[in-house]
Amino acid sequence: MTRIQYQECIDACIKTMNTCNYSYVSSLKEYHLEELRESIRLDRECADICSFAIQAMTRQSPFVVQILRLCADICEACADESSKHVHRHCRSCIEACRECAAACRMISETVEVYA
Amino acid sequence: MTRIQYQECIDACIKTMNTCNYSYVSSLKEYHLEELRESIRLDRECADICSFAIQAMTRQSPFVVQILRLCADICEACADESSKHVHRHCRSCIEACRECAAACRMISETVEVYA
Amino acid sequence: MTRIQYQECIDACIKTMNTCNYSYVSSLKEYHLEELRESIRLDRECADICSFAIQAMTRQSPFVVQILRLCADICEACADESSKHVHRHCRSCIEACRECAAACRMISETVEVYA
Amino acid sequence: MTRIQYQECIDACIKTMNTCNYSYVSSLKEYHLEELRESIRLDRECADICSFAIQAMTRQSPFVVQILRLCADICEACADESSKHVHRHCRSCIEACRECAAACRMISETVEVYA
């Protein structure tokens, strides 16, 4: 697995971090804020693991497979939570998170685990 | 699992981040630097996941179990690598990393996974 | 400046990260959530810079002075925002943030800037 | 300042994080490792602040100006250190870091500081 091959996954993680952080900020401005408690929390979780995964891929971490599996899990949880809401920023999260989860799983299934 | 119950694991992660970052800086000053290439790399990996785990525990992340499992794996790899070297800062890493891995596994085996 | 001398500041940053993240989680559970929008946002900001500062101190970053000045600024902003609210977790933030800002300023005024 | 306007700076930070982490990994594999001690250290510093700055911009941090000033300082220090070395990965760092510093300074001079 070379730097080039990671690029698609890095891009997906950047897009998801961006989308989740935008949804986080937007949610905190919504009128019916009380419906978005869990969404705000998961947006931050998802942005944080995406940020961590991006760094890990660019420094060729020996643990990139395990980190991307975790990233995929959190992206899927964030997509599920976002799908309960009708706001446009929540809908954007669903798409970005699902694509990112798929990109993470593709790499984590084709690279051998560090041992 | 309350804030109090996490405290021991948070303390172990802080100690390990500190010890690994100290070993990282010390390794970069060693005369026989070329023997420490992998050690330097794993010290950074370990410090980074410990830092991430500390944040995750203090913000009561729903993914704390998975994050602590990953932290335990990386701590064990860092301890294994450190055990190949005789420098005092490497010996300190072995002890801190093994204790931290044990503390992470204890929590990750007693808390239910977010689903 | 040695590892020992940083320890007080590291401890203050850890306490503040912990207190701000606890206030973040607690705020998201409050009934009158809409009053805490800015507080939630600053709690995350403050926890994130404290986490960054802790890592920087433990890896003996050449930029520790500038990082601690930034950390002090953010801690003070978080303390100011927290002081608008009566919740116990907000009151805890005021104290932790002010102490942390003072600890950061003490180091940043006694250490020379990297040049 | 909108999300669109930050995009160029976010892209510059991503490129620099990527380039510095690649140089970090490549330096650790070089034969004359002992000449690259400071370069390895600054590559990590630079990647870490870039990662922090990216997150801060995407979450619309109220402290983005101060964070980008710090990022610019560290990018310039990393470019200066990289310019002492002839390796191709070091030359790439010079260019990425200088462009990133310029992008950070452009935003930090046109946005008002949070007060």
Side-chain angles (χ1 to χ4, degrees):
Chain A
M1 178 78 38
T2 67
R3 264 213 301 172
I4 308 299
Q5 291 168 292
Y6 277 125
Q7 198 54 53
E8 197 177 340
C9 189
I10 291 173
D11 290 344
C13 285
I14 290 166
K15 187 183 170 189
T16 302
M17 179 180 64
N18 208 336
T19 309
C20 286
N21 269 332
Y22 182 71
S23 187
Y24 168 88
V25 173
S26 303
S27 293
L28 281 172
K29 292 175 184 164
E30 291 288 349
Y31 186 75
H32 288 299
L33 182 59
E34 70 282 358
E35 296 168 0
L36 294 163
R37 297 169 194 269
E38 189 66 7
S39 196
I40 290 166
R41 207 168 156 223
L42 285 174
D43 283 340
R44 180 184 175 189
E45 285 293 322
C46 199
D48 283 0
I49 188 67
C50 283
S51 174
F52 191 79
I54 296 163
Q55 266 260 45
M57 282 184 277
T58 62
R59 74 172 176 259
Q60 299 174 28
S61 165
F63 302 97
V64 80
V65 169
Q66 295 96 315
I67 292 166
L68 291 181
R69 272 185 204 150
L70 177 58
C71 190
D73 288 348
I74 298 178
C75 282
E76 282 160 9
C78 189
D80 288 348
E81 177 60 33
S82 298
S83 68
K84 297 175 189 165
H85 308 287
V86 297
H87 307 291
R88 206 159 67 88
H89 53 82
C90 295
R91 311 315 293 181
S92 302
C93 270
I94 305 173
E95 193 189 327
C97 287
R98 293 221 188 283
E99 282 177 15
C100 190
C104 291
R105 296 229 184 272
M106 189 175 306
I107 287 189
S108 68
E109 282 161 14
T110 53
V111 180
E112 278 182 37
V113 172
Y114 178 85
Chain B
M1 178 80 35
T2 67
R3 265 213 300 173
I4 307 299
Q5 291 168 292
Y6 277 125
Q7 198 55 54
E8 197 178 339
C9 189
I10 291 173
D11 291 344
C13 285
I14 290 166
K15 186 183 171 189
T16 302
M17 178 180 66
N18 209 336
T19 309
C20 287
N21 270 331
Y22 182 71
S23 187
Y24 167 88
V25 173
S26 303
S27 294
L28 281 171
K29 292 175 185 162
E30 291 287 349
Y31 186 75
H32 287 299
L33 183 58
E34 69 282 358
E35 297 168 359
L36 294 163
R37 297 170 194 270
E38 189 66 8
S39 196
I40 290 166
R41 208 169 156 220
L42 285 174
D43 282 341
R44 181 184 174 188
E45 285 293 321
C46 199
D48 283 1
I49 189 66
C50 283
S51 174
F52 191 79
I54 296 163
Q55 265 261 45
M57 282 185 277
T58 62
R59 74 171 177 261
Q60 299 175 27
S61 166
F63 303 96
V64 81
V65 169
Q66 295 97 314
I67 292 165
L68 292 181
R69 272 183 204 151
L70 177 57
C71 190
D73 287 348
I74 298 178
C75 283
E76 282 160 9
C78 189
D80 289 349
E81 176 59 34
S82 298
S83 68
K84 297 174 190 165
H85 307 288
V86 297
H87 306 291
R88 206 160 67 88
H89 52 84
C90 295
R91 311 316 294 180
S92 301
C93 269
I94 305 173
E95 191 189 329
C97 287
R98 293 222 188 284
E99 283 178 15
C100 190
C104 290
R105 296 231 184 272
M106 190 176 305
I107 287 189
S108 67
E109 283 162 14
T110 53
V111 180
E112 279 181 36
V113 173
Y114 179 83
Chain C
M1 177 79 34
T2 67
R3 266 213 300 173
I4 308 298
Q5 290 168 292
Y6 277 125
Q7 198 55 54
E8 197 178 340
C9 190
I10 291 172
D11 290 345
C13 284
I14 290 166
K15 186 183 170 189
T16 302
M17 179 180 64
N18 208 337
T19 309
C20 286
N21 270 331
Y22 183 71
S23 188
Y24 168 88
V25 173
S26 303
S27 293
L28 281 172
K29 292 176 185 163
E30 290 288 349
Y31 186 76
H32 287 299
L33 184 58
E34 69 282 357
E35 296 168 0
L36 293 164
R37 298 169 195 270
E38 189 67 7
S39 196
I40 291 166
R41 207 170 156 221
L42 285 174
D43 282 340
R44 181 184 175 189
E45 284 294 321
C46 199
D48 283 1
I49 189 67
C50 284
S51 174
F52 191 79
I54 297 163
Q55 265 260 47
M57 282 184 277
T58 61
R59 74 171 176 261
Q60 299 175 28
S61 165
F63 303 97
V64 80
V65 168
Q66 295 96 316
I67 292 166
L68 291 181
R69 271 183 205 152
L70 178 56
C71 189
D73 287 348
I74 298 179
C75 282
E76 282 160 9
C78 188
D80 288 349
E81 176 60 34
S82 298
S83 69
K84 298 175 189 166
H85 308 287
V86 297
H87 307 290
R88 207 160 65 88
H89 52 83
C90 296
R91 311 317 292 181
S92 301
C93 270
I94 306 173
E95 192 190 328
C97 288
R98 293 221 188 283
E99 283 177 15
C100 189
C104 291
R105 296 230 184 272
M106 190 176 305
I107 286 189
S108 68
E109 282 161 14
T110 53
V111 180
E112 277 181 38
V113 172
Y114 179 85
Chain D
M1 179 80 32
T2 67
R3 265 214 299 172
I4 307 298
Q5 292 168 290
Y6 278 124
Q7 198 56 53
E8 198 178 339
C9 190
I10 292 172
D11 290 343
C13 285
I14 290 166
K15 186 183 170 189
T16 303
M17 179 179 65
N18 209 335
T19 308
C20 287
N21 270 333
Y22 182 71
S23 187
Y24 167 88
V25 173
S26 303
S27 294
L28 281 171
K29 292 175 184 162
E30 291 288 350
Y31 186 76
H32 287 299
L33 184 58
E34 69 282 357
E35 296 168 359
L36 294 163
R37 298 169 194 270
E38 189 66 8
S39 197
I40 291 166
R41 207 168 156 223
L42 284 174
D43 283 339
R44 180 183 176 189
E45 284 295 320
C46 199
D48 282 1
I49 189 67
C50 283
S51 173
F52 192 78
I54 296 163
Q55 265 260 46
M57 283 185 276
T58 62
R59 73 170 178 261
Q60 298 175 27
S61 165
F63 303 96
V64 81
V65 169
Q66 296 96 316
I67 292 166
L68 291 180
R69 271 183 205 152
L70 177 57
C71 190
D73 288 348
I74 298 178
C75 282
E76 283 160 8
C78 188
D80 289 348
E81 176 60 33
S82 298
S83 68
K84 297 176 191 166
H85 308 287
V86 297
H87 307 291
R88 206 160 66 88
H89 53 83
C90 295
R91 310 318 292 181
S92 302
C93 269
I94 305 173
E95 192 191 327
C97 288
R98 293 223 188 282
E99 282 178 16
C100 190
C104 291
R105 296 230 183 272
M106 190 176 305
I107 287 190
S108 68
E109 283 161 13
T110 53
V111 180
E112 279 181 37
V113 172
Y114 179 83

